[in-house]
Amino acid sequence: MPPDPLSRRHVLALLAATAAAPALAACGSGTAEAKAYPVAYSEAEWRRRLTPAQFRVLRQKDTEPPGSSPLLREHRRGTFCCAADGSALFSSATKFESGTGWPSFWQPLPGAVQTAVDYEVGYPRTEVHCARCGGHLGHVFNDGPRPTGKRYCMNGDALTFRAG
């Protein structure tokens, strides 16, 4: 019996999508870096100012291991700020327990973040970065709580906390 042409089509489509993923990733990655930001330093200066973990997340778009950030358990009143430039990003009033292993918020402070589409995992996601320095913070998803329905899933290494 000859192979099912529909199955063959699915396999060919999957192979084509897999082959195209690196090209798509190249198109989508670096979107935040291409723009000029009010706070900008050379790579060497960023390395000097940030810890190695902060540099990997903020400047190289790495992701910290889930559950590893002490900010995941931060429940005091205050503000979560960009670890690279100190700008205020999220109010503690918008933090919630998402169960994902990363600090999550349902809304950023006005004008604090910007977004861009990235394809670094082979499909489109919405990257969140600091509006002042372009540092990679994490991603935003449409599975959060009311009132916004958003889940800003942030890397703790990209943030600092200011109580008050």
Side-chain angles (χ1 to χ4, degrees):
M1 177 174 224
D4 180 9
L6 185 59
S7 296
R8 187 178 305 148
R9 240 179 293 176
H10 281 104
V11 169
L12 290 173
L14 180 61
L15 289 171
T18 303
L24 289 172
C27 291
S29 67
T31 306
E33 304 300 324
K35 181 180 173 193
Y37 290 94
V39 177
Y41 298 106
S42 67
E43 181 177 334
E45 183 62 14
W46 280 123
R47 284 185 185 277
R48 190 185 73 70
R49 291 173 168 268
L50 302 170
T51 68
Q54 289 171 331
F55 183 83
R56 283 191 305 274
V57 168
L58 286 157
R59 307 317 303 170
Q60 297 178 321
K61 299 183 180 185
D62 197 7
T63 301
E64 69 195 13
S68 65
S69 174
L71 294 181
L72 187 60
R73 293 168 290 286
E74 180 58 70
H75 300 291
R76 294 176 293 168
R77 293 179 98 193
T79 305
F80 291 84
C81 302
C82 177
D85 67 32
S87 62
L89 301 173
F90 297 93
S91 165
S92 63
T94 65
K95 187 173 188 275
F96 70 98
E97 297 302 322
S98 67
T100 61
W102 290 278
S104 296
F105 306 85
W106 50 264
Q107 177 176 290
L109 293 170
V113 303
Q114 295 177 338
T115 60
V117 177
D118 82 37
Y119 293 89
E120 292 184 12
V121 294
Y123 58 88
R125 295 184 300 171
T126 304
E127 176 198 2
V128 178
H129 52 271
C130 175
R132 286 191 62 223
C133 72
H136 172 78
L137 304 171
H139 293 85
V140 62
F141 303 95
N142 292 319
D143 60 1
R146 294 178 188 242
T148 64
K150 301 289 185 189
R151 173 174 52 97
Y152 286 82
C153 189
M154 303 293 98
N155 287 285
D157 284 330
L159 306 172
T160 59
F161 180 73
R162 189 170 53 225

